[in-house]
Amino acid sequence: FPEFLSRLREAPGHRWDHWWIADIEIEGQWVPGGAVAAAAVAVGISGGVTAVAKADQQVGRFLVKGQIEVSYFATGGPATWGVPLIPETNAGRGGKFQTFKNQASFYWHPGADGGNAHQIGGAIRAKWGENRWENGPLGYPTTDELQSRGPFNAVTGAMNAFQGGVIYWSPASGAWPVWGEILVKWSADKRESGKYGYPTGPEIRTGSSFSQT
C-alpha cells in the first residue's frame, strides 16, 4: 500500500497500530472491533452490541462510512473500485480518506466542494502524492476523475480538480499539475482542447517569473 506507507512515514506519531480493524458501536461509544473480539473470547459477551449507523456499510473486511460511502456507491461501488484496503483514516486538516483495491482512493474534507467526497486514482493520484497530497498546494480533490477532451471533443485523457488547481493526464504527456495564473491563462484558451494542449512538465520558477510547458 504505497499511499498508506508514505502517510505512515509522514505521521509516525499517529496511532496506526489499529488501522486494519473496523470500529463497532457499543452503548454509544466506538471501540476497535479487535478489542471487542478479544473481550468476547476472554470473558464472553451476550447482547449490548448495537448496529452501526445506517449510512455505514461493511464491504469486505472494512466499513465504508459517511460521505465516502455515499460517493463510493454513487460512482460504482465494489464493481468499479473494488473493496477497501484500509478503514477510513484521518487525513490532513480534519479530513478523511480510504483506499480501495482498484487503484483508487476517496478523500473528504468538510470545506472541500461542500463536504462531498471525491475519487482519485492512477497516475493523477501518484502526481498528487508527489505534491504532498492534501497537505500540499493542491489541497483536497473537488471532483472525481473526469474524462478530458481534445480537438473535436474526442476523449484524450483525464483530470481531477482540486482546491488549489488541477492535474491533467494523457498517455502522451503524463500527469502534471497546473495552478495559479498559468491555470487562469490556460483556461482562457480552452485548456487541453485549445492551442496549448496538455501540460508536459511542471511549473518552473525563474526569479520572480513562472513558466510551464
Side-chain angles (χ1 to χ4, degrees), residues 37 102 169:
N102 294 347
W169 169 89

Side-chain angles (χ1 to χ4, degrees), residues 119-178:
Q119 171 271 336
I120 182 169
I124 293 176
R125 183 178 66 172
K127 182 59 67 174
W128 185 48
E130 292 176 13
N131 286 270
R132 299 180 51 242
W133 310 100
E134 75 279 5
N135 296 308
L138 288 161
Y140 279 86
T142 56
T143 69
D144 301 323
E145 183 176 301
L146 303 172
Q147 293 178 337
S148 55
R149 298 177 181 273
F152 308 107
N153 207 35
V155 176
T156 52
M159 63 83 67
N160 274 86
F162 299 83
Q163 290 173 302
V166 296
I167 296 179
Y168 273 75
W169 169 89
S170 77
S173 64
W176 297 101
V178 187

